[in-house]
Amino acid sequence: MARAYESYKRYGFKDFVKRRVKRLGIPLVLYVLIFHPTIEYLVASTHGATDKGWFPFVLEQLTTDFSFGPFWFVAALLVFELGFAVFKKCGPNIDGLMSELWQQIAALRTTLFVLGVGLLAFVIRLLSPARA
């Protein structure tokens, strides 16, 4: 998140969000809508598990068996980064408040933030489980 903070300071809200959507969102959408269903289709058709065409199979995958696959982490990162941008835009301005007390609790805040990120990643992973 340190890089996200520096990037946000450099580009501002609008350009930060544009850059994150371009770098994370577009690959995520391409993988989820095209690559992952196509791989699933090739595996299913090779093993005789489907007699559908590509497009009906993909529609079924997206509506009944949706999965981020290995891109679950990209989805989680995009959520975190966009959440960070919204917090910086709408939240309190804390840049000038780095008082001595604030510095003393920085380690605790960092620890709580890391635990929160881990918990959110775990929840996202639960919502999009990998196939065994």
Coordinates of all heavy atoms in Angstrom, one line a residue, residues 3-58:
R3 N 3.2 1.9 -2.0 CA 3.3 2.4 -3.4 C 2.0 3.0 -3.9 O 2.0 3.9 -4.7 CB 3.7 1.2 -4.3 CG 5.1 0.8 -4.2 CD 5.5 -0.1 -5.3 NE 6.9 -0.5 -5.2 CZ 7.9 0.0 -5.8 NH1 7.7 1.0 -6.6 NH2 9.1 -0.4 -5.6
A4 N 0.9 2.5 -3.4 CA -0.4 3.0 -3.8 C -0.5 4.4 -3.2 O -1.0 5.3 -3.9 CB -1.5 2.2 -3.2
Y5 N 0.0 4.7 -2.0 CA 0.0 6.0 -1.4 C 0.8 7.0 -2.2 O 0.3 8.1 -2.6 CB 0.5 5.9 0.0 CG 0.5 7.3 0.7 CD1 -0.7 7.9 1.1 CD2 1.7 8.0 0.9 CE1 -0.7 9.1 1.7 CE2 1.7 9.2 1.5 CZ 0.6 9.8 1.9 OH 0.6 11.0 2.5
E6 N 2.0 6.6 -2.6 CA 2.9 7.4 -3.4 C 2.2 7.7 -4.8 O 2.3 8.8 -5.3 CB 4.2 6.8 -3.6 CG 5.0 6.8 -2.3 CD 5.3 8.1 -1.7 OE1 5.5 9.1 -2.4 OE2 5.2 8.2 -0.5
S7 N 1.7 6.7 -5.4 CA 1.0 6.8 -6.7 C -0.2 7.7 -6.6 O -0.4 8.6 -7.5 CB 0.6 5.4 -7.2 OG 0.0 5.6 -8.5
Y8 N -1.0 7.6 -5.5 CA -2.1 8.5 -5.3 C -1.7 9.9 -5.2 O -2.3 10.8 -5.7 CB -2.9 8.0 -4.1 CG -4.2 8.8 -3.9 CD1 -5.4 8.4 -4.5 CD2 -4.2 10.0 -3.1 CE1 -6.5 9.1 -4.3 CE2 -5.4 10.7 -3.0 CZ -6.5 10.2 -3.6 OH -7.7 10.9 -3.4
K9 N -0.6 10.1 -4.4 CA -0.1 11.5 -4.2 C 0.3 12.1 -5.6 O 0.1 13.3 -5.9 CB 1.1 11.5 -3.2 CG 0.6 11.6 -1.8 CD 1.7 11.6 -0.8 CE 3.0 12.2 -1.1 NZ 4.0 12.2 -0.1
R10 N 1.0 11.3 -6.4 CA 1.5 11.7 -7.7 C 0.4 12.0 -8.7 O 0.4 13.0 -9.4 CB 2.5 10.7 -8.3 CG 3.1 11.2 -9.6 CD 4.0 10.2 -10.2 NE 4.9 9.5 -9.2 CZ 5.3 8.3 -9.2 NH1 4.9 7.5 -10.2 NH2 6.0 7.8 -8.2
Y11 N -0.6 11.1 -8.8 CA -1.6 11.2 -9.9 C -2.9 11.8 -9.5 O -3.7 12.2 -10.3 CB -1.8 9.8 -10.5 CG -0.6 9.3 -11.2 CD1 0.1 8.2 -10.6 CD2 -0.1 9.8 -12.3 CE1 1.2 7.7 -11.2 CE2 1.0 9.3 -13.0 CZ 1.7 8.2 -12.4 OH 2.8 7.7 -13.0
G12 N -3.3 11.8 -8.2 CA -4.6 12.2 -7.8 C -5.6 11.1 -8.0 O -5.3 10.1 -8.5
F13 N -6.8 11.4 -7.5 CA -7.9 10.4 -7.5 C -8.2 9.8 -8.8 O -8.2 8.6 -9.1 CB -9.1 10.9 -6.8 CG -10.3 9.9 -6.8 CD1 -10.3 8.9 -5.8 CD2 -11.3 10.1 -7.7 CE1 -11.3 8.0 -5.8 CE2 -12.4 9.2 -7.6 CZ -12.4 8.1 -6.7
K14 N -8.6 10.7 -9.8 CA -9.1 10.3 -11.1 C -8.0 9.5 -11.9 O -8.3 8.4 -12.3 CB -9.5 11.5 -11.9 CG -10.1 11.2 -13.2 CD -10.6 12.5 -13.9 CE -11.1 12.2 -15.2 NZ -11.5 13.5 -15.9
D15 N -6.8 10.0 -12.0 CA -5.8 9.3 -12.7 C -5.3 8.0 -12.0 O -5.0 7.0 -12.6 CB -4.6 10.2 -13.0 CG -4.9 11.2 -14.0 OD1 -5.8 11.0 -14.8 OD2 -4.2 12.2 -14.1
F16 N -5.3 8.0 -10.6 CA -5.0 6.8 -9.9 C -6.0 5.7 -10.2 O -5.6 4.6 -10.5 CB -5.0 7.1 -8.4 CG -4.7 5.9 -7.5 CD1 -3.4 5.5 -7.3 CD2 -5.8 5.2 -6.9 CE1 -3.2 4.4 -6.5 CE2 -5.5 4.1 -6.1 CZ -4.2 3.7 -5.9
V17 N -7.3 6.0 -10.2 CA -8.3 5.0 -10.4 C -8.2 4.5 -11.9 O -8.3 3.3 -12.2 CB -9.7 5.6 -10.1 CG1 -10.8 4.7 -10.7 CG2 -9.9 5.8 -8.6
K18 N -8.0 5.5 -12.8 CA -7.9 5.1 -14.2 C -6.7 4.1 -14.4 O -6.8 3.1 -15.1 CB -7.6 6.3 -15.1 CG -8.8 7.1 -15.6 CD -8.2 8.1 -16.5 CE -9.2 9.1 -17.0 NZ -8.6 10.1 -17.8
R19 N -5.6 4.4 -13.8 CA -4.4 3.6 -14.0 C -4.6 2.2 -13.3 O -4.2 1.2 -13.9 CB -3.2 4.2 -13.3 CG -2.7 5.5 -14.1 CD -1.6 6.2 -13.4 NE -0.4 5.4 -13.3 CZ 0.6 5.3 -14.2 NH1 0.5 6.0 -15.3 NH2 1.6 4.6 -13.9
R20 N -5.3 2.1 -12.2 CA -5.5 0.9 -11.5 C -6.5 0.0 -12.3 O -6.3 -1.2 -12.5 CB -6.0 1.0 -10.1 CG -5.0 1.6 -9.2 CD -3.7 0.7 -9.2 NE -2.8 1.1 -8.2 CZ -1.6 1.7 -8.4 NH1 -1.3 2.0 -9.7 NH2 -0.8 1.9 -7.5
V21 N -7.6 0.6 -12.8 CA -8.5 -0.1 -13.7 C -7.8 -0.6 -14.9 O -8.1 -1.8 -15.4 CB -9.7 0.8 -14.0 CG1 -10.6 0.1 -15.1 CG2 -10.6 1.0 -12.7
K22 N -7.0 0.2 -15.5 CA -6.3 -0.2 -16.7 C -5.3 -1.4 -16.4 O -5.2 -2.3 -17.2 CB -5.5 1.0 -17.3 CG -4.7 0.7 -18.6 CD -4.0 1.9 -19.0 CE -3.1 1.7 -20.2 NZ -2.3 2.8 -20.5
R23 N -4.5 -1.3 -15.3 CA -3.5 -2.3 -15.1 C -4.1 -3.5 -14.4 O -3.5 -4.6 -14.5 CB -2.4 -1.7 -14.2 CG -1.6 -0.7 -14.9 CD -0.6 0.0 -13.9 NE 0.1 1.0 -14.6 CZ 1.5 1.0 -14.7 NH1 2.2 0.0 -14.1 NH2 2.1 1.9 -15.4
L24 N -5.2 -3.4 -13.6 CA -5.7 -4.6 -12.9 C -7.1 -5.0 -13.5 O -7.3 -6.2 -13.6 CB -5.8 -4.3 -11.4 CG -4.5 -4.0 -10.7 CD1 -4.8 -3.5 -9.3 CD2 -3.6 -5.2 -10.7
G25 N -7.9 -4.0 -13.7 CA -9.3 -4.3 -14.1 C -9.4 -5.0 -15.5 O -10.2 -5.9 -15.7
I26 N -8.7 -4.4 -16.5 CA -8.8 -4.9 -17.8 C -8.3 -6.4 -17.9 O -9.0 -7.3 -18.4 CB -8.2 -4.0 -18.8 CG1 -8.9 -2.7 -18.9 CG2 -8.0 -4.7 -20.2 CD1 -8.3 -1.6 -19.8
P27 N -7.1 -6.7 -17.4 CA -6.7 -8.1 -17.4 C -7.7 -9.0 -16.6 O -7.9 -10.1 -17.0 CB -5.3 -8.1 -16.7 CG -4.8 -6.7 -16.9 CD -6.1 -5.8 -16.9
L28 N -8.2 -8.5 -15.5 CA -9.1 -9.3 -14.7 C -10.4 -9.6 -15.5 O -10.8 -10.8 -15.6 CB -9.5 -8.6 -13.4 CG -10.5 -9.3 -12.5 CD1 -10.0 -10.6 -12.0 CD2 -11.0 -8.3 -11.4
V29 N -10.9 -8.6 -16.2 CA -12.1 -8.9 -17.0 C -11.9 -9.8 -18.2 O -12.6 -10.7 -18.4 CB -12.7 -7.5 -17.5 CG1 -13.8 -7.7 -18.6 CG2 -13.3 -6.7 -16.3
L30 N -10.7 -9.6 -18.8 CA -10.4 -10.5 -19.9 C -10.2 -11.9 -19.5 O -10.7 -12.9 -20.1 CB -9.1 -10.0 -20.6 CG -9.2 -8.8 -21.5 CD1 -7.8 -8.3 -22.0 CD2 -10.1 -9.0 -22.6
Y31 N -9.6 -12.1 -18.3 CA -9.4 -13.5 -17.9 C -10.7 -14.1 -17.5 O -11.0 -15.3 -17.8 CB -8.4 -13.5 -16.7 CG -8.2 -14.9 -16.2 CD1 -7.3 -15.8 -16.8 CD2 -9.0 -15.5 -15.1 CE1 -7.1 -17.1 -16.4 CE2 -8.8 -16.8 -14.7 CZ -7.9 -17.6 -15.4 OH -7.7 -18.9 -15.0
V32 N -11.5 -13.4 -16.7 CA -12.8 -13.9 -16.2 C -13.8 -14.2 -17.3 O -14.5 -15.2 -17.3 CB -13.4 -13.0 -15.1 CG1 -14.8 -13.4 -14.8 CG2 -12.5 -13.0 -13.9
L33 N -13.9 -13.3 -18.3 CA -14.9 -13.4 -19.3 C -14.5 -14.2 -20.5 O -15.3 -14.8 -21.2 CB -15.3 -12.0 -19.8 CG -16.0 -11.2 -18.8 CD1 -16.4 -9.8 -19.4 CD2 -17.2 -11.9 -18.2
I34 N -13.1 -14.3 -20.8 CA -12.7 -15.0 -22.0 C -11.8 -16.2 -21.7 O -12.1 -17.3 -22.1 CB -12.0 -14.0 -23.0 CG1 -13.0 -12.9 -23.4 CG2 -11.4 -14.7 -24.2 CD1 -12.4 -11.8 -24.2
F35 N -10.6 -15.9 -21.1 CA -9.6 -17.0 -20.9 C -10.1 -18.1 -20.0 O -10.0 -19.3 -20.4 CB -8.3 -16.4 -20.5 CG -7.7 -15.4 -21.4 CD1 -7.4 -14.1 -21.0 CD2 -7.4 -15.8 -22.7 CE1 -6.9 -13.2 -21.9 CE2 -6.9 -14.9 -23.6 CZ -6.6 -13.6 -23.2
H36 N -10.5 -17.8 -18.9 CA -10.9 -18.9 -17.9 C -12.1 -19.8 -18.5 O -12.0 -21.0 -18.5 CB -11.3 -18.3 -16.6 CG -11.5 -19.3 -15.5 ND1 -10.5 -20.1 -15.0 CD2 -12.7 -19.7 -14.9 CE1 -11.1 -21.0 -14.1 NE2 -12.4 -20.7 -14.0
P37 N -13.2 -19.2 -19.0 CA -14.2 -20.0 -19.6 C -13.7 -20.8 -20.8 O -14.2 -21.9 -21.0 CB -15.3 -19.0 -20.0 CG -15.1 -17.8 -19.1 CD -13.6 -17.8 -18.9
T38 N -12.8 -20.2 -21.6 CA -12.3 -21.0 -22.7 C -11.5 -22.2 -22.3 O -11.6 -23.2 -22.9 CB -11.5 -20.0 -23.6 OG1 -12.3 -18.9 -24.1 CG2 -10.9 -20.8 -24.8
I39 N -10.7 -22.0 -21.3 CA -9.9 -23.1 -20.8 C -10.8 -24.2 -20.2 O -10.6 -25.4 -20.5 CB -8.9 -22.6 -19.7 CG1 -7.8 -21.7 -20.3 CG2 -8.3 -23.8 -18.9 CD1 -7.0 -20.9 -19.3
E40 N -11.8 -23.8 -19.5 CA -12.8 -24.7 -18.9 C -13.5 -25.4 -20.1 O -13.8 -26.7 -20.0 CB -13.8 -24.0 -18.1 CG -13.3 -23.4 -16.8 CD -13.0 -24.5 -15.8 OE1 -13.7 -25.5 -15.7 OE2 -12.0 -24.3 -15.0
Y41 N -13.9 -24.7 -21.1 CA -14.5 -25.3 -22.3 C -13.6 -26.4 -22.9 O -14.1 -27.5 -23.3 CB -15.0 -24.3 -23.3 CG -15.5 -24.9 -24.5 CD1 -16.8 -25.4 -24.6 CD2 -14.8 -24.9 -25.7 CE1 -17.3 -26.0 -25.7 CE2 -15.3 -25.4 -26.9 CZ -16.6 -26.0 -26.9 OH -17.1 -26.5 -28.0
L42 N -12.4 -26.0 -23.2 CA -11.4 -26.9 -23.8 C -11.3 -28.2 -23.0 O -11.2 -29.3 -23.5 CB -10.1 -26.2 -24.1 CG -10.1 -25.1 -25.1 CD1 -8.8 -24.4 -25.1 CD2 -10.5 -25.7 -26.5
V43 N -11.2 -28.0 -21.7 CA -11.0 -29.2 -20.8 C -12.3 -30.1 -20.9 O -12.2 -31.3 -21.0 CB -10.7 -28.8 -19.4 CG1 -10.8 -30.0 -18.4 CG2 -9.3 -28.1 -19.3
A44 N -13.4 -29.4 -20.7 CA -14.7 -30.2 -20.7 C -15.0 -30.9 -22.1 O -15.4 -32.0 -22.1 CB -15.9 -29.2 -20.4
S45 N -14.7 -30.2 -23.2 CA -15.0 -30.8 -24.5 C -14.0 -31.9 -24.8 O -14.3 -32.9 -25.4 CB -15.0 -29.7 -25.6 OG -13.7 -29.1 -25.7
T46 N -12.7 -31.8 -24.3 CA -11.7 -32.8 -24.5 C -12.1 -34.1 -23.8 O -11.9 -35.2 -24.3 CB -10.3 -32.3 -24.1 OG1 -10.0 -31.2 -24.8 CG2 -9.3 -33.4 -24.3
H47 N -12.7 -33.9 -22.6 CA -13.0 -35.1 -21.8 C -14.5 -35.5 -22.0 O -15.0 -36.4 -21.3 CB -12.8 -34.8 -20.3 CG -11.4 -34.6 -19.9 ND1 -10.5 -35.6 -19.9 CD2 -10.7 -33.5 -19.6 CE1 -9.3 -35.2 -19.6 NE2 -9.4 -33.9 -19.4
G48 N -15.2 -34.9 -23.0 CA -16.5 -35.3 -23.3 C -17.5 -34.9 -22.3 O -18.6 -35.5 -22.2
A49 N -17.2 -33.9 -21.4 CA -18.2 -33.5 -20.4 C -19.2 -32.5 -20.9 O -20.1 -32.2 -20.1 CB -17.4 -32.9 -19.2
T50 N -19.1 -32.0 -22.1 CA -20.1 -31.1 -22.6 C -20.2 -31.3 -24.1 O -19.3 -31.8 -24.8 CB -19.7 -29.6 -22.4 OG1 -20.7 -28.8 -22.8 CG2 -18.4 -29.2 -23.1
D51 N -21.4 -31.1 -24.6 CA -21.7 -31.2 -26.0 C -22.2 -29.8 -26.5 O -22.6 -29.7 -27.6 CB -22.7 -32.3 -26.3 CG -24.0 -32.1 -25.5 OD1 -24.1 -31.2 -24.7 OD2 -25.0 -32.8 -25.8
K52 N -22.1 -28.8 -25.7 CA -22.5 -27.4 -26.0 C -21.4 -26.8 -26.9 O -20.2 -27.2 -26.8 CB -22.7 -26.6 -24.8 CG -23.8 -27.1 -23.9 CD -24.0 -26.2 -22.7 CE -25.0 -26.8 -21.8 NZ -25.1 -26.0 -20.6
G53 N -21.8 -25.7 -27.6 CA -20.8 -24.9 -28.2 C -20.1 -24.0 -27.2 O -20.5 -23.9 -26.1
W54 N -19.1 -23.2 -27.7 CA -18.3 -22.4 -26.9 C -19.2 -21.3 -26.2 O -19.1 -21.2 -25.0 CB -17.2 -21.7 -27.6 CG -16.4 -20.8 -26.8 CD1 -15.3 -21.2 -26.0 CD2 -16.5 -19.4 -26.7 NE1 -14.8 -20.1 -25.4 CE2 -15.5 -19.0 -25.8 CE3 -17.3 -18.4 -27.3 CZ2 -15.3 -17.6 -25.4 CZ3 -17.2 -17.1 -26.9 CH2 -16.2 -16.7 -26.0
F55 N -20.0 -20.6 -26.9 CA -20.7 -19.5 -26.4 C -21.8 -19.9 -25.3 O -21.8 -19.4 -24.2 CB -21.4 -18.6 -27.5 CG -22.0 -17.4 -27.0 CD1 -21.1 -16.3 -26.6 CD2 -23.3 -17.2 -26.9 CE1 -21.6 -15.1 -26.1 CE2 -23.9 -16.0 -26.4 CZ -23.0 -15.0 -26.0
P56 N -22.6 -20.9 -25.6 CA -23.5 -21.4 -24.5 C -22.8 -21.9 -23.3 O -23.2 -21.7 -22.2 CB -24.3 -22.5 -25.2 CG -24.2 -22.3 -26.7 CD -22.9 -21.6 -26.9
F57 N -21.7 -22.6 -23.5 CA -20.9 -23.1 -22.4 C -20.3 -21.9 -21.5 O -20.4 -21.9 -20.3 CB -19.7 -23.9 -22.9 CG -18.9 -24.5 -21.8 CD1 -19.3 -25.7 -21.2 CD2 -17.8 -23.9 -21.3 CE1 -18.5 -26.3 -20.1 CE2 -17.0 -24.4 -20.3 CZ -17.4 -25.6 -19.7
V58 N -19.8 -20.9 -22.2 CA -19.3 -19.7 -21.5 C -20.4 -19.0 -20.7 O -20.2 -18.6 -19.6 CB -18.6 -18.7 -22.5 CG1 -18.3 -17.4 -21.8 CG2 -17.3 -19.4 -23.0

